[in-house]
Amino acid sequence: MNIIKLNAIDSTNSYLKELTVENTVQNYTVVVAEQQTAGRGQMGTIWESEHGKNLTFSILTRVNNLKIVDQFYLSMAISLGVLQALKVVTQAKLSVKWPNDILAENDKLSGILIENVLSGNNIKHSFVGIGLNVNQQEFSKNLLNVTSLKNISGIHFDREELLLKIVNSIKFYISYLERNDFNELKKMYLAFLYKIETPAMFEDKEGVVFLGKILTVSEDGKLVIELENGTTRKFNLKEIKFASR
Ligand code: BTN
């Protein structure tokens, strides 16, 4: 495995993106940093992580013939890869909060930011950025509902070993994409989906809070929710969140 270790960088996703301008970068090249000065999260958020305690890394993935319309299957494969690797080392009950946060109970362990480079109808390659709270035990007061592997298991992890386990697990789930076994990936993803089939309060983009139940995820990655009146609605990332408890 080609691993590039950096002490400090703005963002491992940005670094990998610059590196990949040259087409010679190997599939599954990993960039890992002890510290990011401008770690990026989904929807323009910032990823905070204590220096030297956690894992912040990005993987270059190239999947042959992966269509843009199938991009959510890559997200499923990555989430499952991270979740399964963490499940094995912690023995904890973990879930994926749509689209791809890894949770222990109600608390976030890991966040994933996938940036795709497109070519025609296909995804040429992707920068898969993963932030994982490993040995950090205290979090800033503004960060609600976050935890770490150490907090949930009491184990102090060797981060390098863990990184290899996660990348290998991601490779395993990407092999489903390579075999076009999309149905199996979706089945596994739904089996770990946070609050699936459970009544929960949601908030839409207008700030309206409503009761609903997650039924599934559509082919294009939208969250499908059954409303109280029995109708279903689909939401994309910017349109819905769980209402704060
Ligand atoms: C999220 O939950 O909002 C996604 C967080 C993704 C953070 C990781 S850390 C490594 C990689 N580099 C970045 O700048 N972001 C991702």
Side-chain angles (χ1 to χ4, degrees):
M1 205 180 283
N2 182 20
I3 303 187
I4 300 166
K5 294 179 188 163
L6 304 171
N7 185 30
I9 192 74
D10 51 353
S11 149
T12 54
N13 262 38
S14 308
Y15 182 91
L16 190 57
K17 205 176 282 178
E18 281 161 31
L19 202 69
T20 313
V21 170
E22 311 209 357
N23 251 334
T24 50
V25 181
Q26 251 181 48
N27 198 9
Y28 295 111
T29 292
V30 178
V31 176
V32 55
E34 287 294 307
Q35 183 179 20
Q36 293 185 121
T37 52
R40 295 186 283 114
Q42 283 176 16
M43 295 200 296
T45 57
I46 293 169
W47 183 259
E48 288 179 39
S49 177
E50 202 178 319
H51 186 189
K53 296 218 167 155
N54 301 313
L55 278 171
T56 48
F57 62 102
S58 301
I59 313 170
L60 176 73
T61 62
R62 272 193 205 99
V63 183
N64 277 334
N65 289 319
L66 180 63
K67 301 267 171 286
I68 298 172
V69 291
D70 293 327
Q71 63 182 294
F72 196 67
Y73 289 97
L74 175 66
S75 179
M76 292 189 204
I78 305 294
S79 311
L80 284 164
V82 176
L83 180 139
Q84 279 296 357
L86 302 184
K87 207 164 145 263
V88 169
V89 297
T90 58
Q91 304 289 316
K93 194 176 168 292
L94 305 178
S95 60
V96 185
K97 183 171 150 193
W98 177 84
N100 50 22
D101 285 350
I102 309 300
L103 304 191
E105 305 283 344
N106 296 305
D107 296 334
K108 182 157 165 174
L109 273 175
S110 175
I112 299 170
L113 175 70
I114 304 175
E115 298 178 292
N116 295 318
V117 175
L118 312 178
S119 163
N121 293 329
N122 286 10
I123 295 175
K124 190 173 166 206
H125 53 238
S126 308
F127 308 112
V128 176
I130 299 170
L132 169 66
N133 300 326
V134 183
N135 295 321
Q136 181 171 341
Q137 288 188 282
E138 275 160 35
F139 293 89
S140 115
K141 298 248 173 331
N142 346 318
L143 284 179
L144 299 173
N145 298 108
V146 290
T147 191
S148 66
L149 295 182
K150 184 158 190 175
N151 281 353
I152 64 160
S153 68
I155 302 168
H156 186 91
F157 285 90
D158 178 323
R159 289 176 296 142
E160 215 167 310
E161 234 174 68
L162 186 62
L163 173 65
L164 296 183
K165 286 182 179 160
I166 295 170
V167 178
N168 283 327
S169 174
I170 286 174
K171 281 187 185 175
F172 174 78
Y173 286 97
I174 284 186
S175 74
Y176 284 84
L177 289 177
E178 278 155 353
R179 296 193 298 274
N180 286 323
D181 201 351
F182 294 157
N183 287 346
E184 190 56 29
L185 266 180
K186 187 168 176 182
K187 229 162 75 189
M188 292 187 286
Y189 177 84
L190 292 180
F192 287 106
L193 192 62
Y194 179 69
K195 298 257 191 217
I196 190 163
E197 295 289 350
T198 310
M201 298 308 290
F202 296 90
E203 186 179 330
D204 71 12
K205 63 177 189 300
E206 277 82 36
V208 177
V209 175
F210 62 94
L211 179 67
K213 190 171 78 176
I214 299 174
L215 295 182
T216 186
V217 171
S218 63
E219 298 303 301
D220 55 353
K222 291 187 177 149
L223 194 63
V224 182
I225 297 183
E226 183 181 78
L227 310 181
E228 257 185 311
N229 63 11
T231 60
T232 53
R233 259 180 84 185
K234 288 185 193 174
F235 297 88
N236 72 29
L237 192 55
K238 296 192 180 109
E239 296 171 339
I240 183 107
K241 59 178 186 185
F242 283 100
S244 33
R245 281 164 294 133

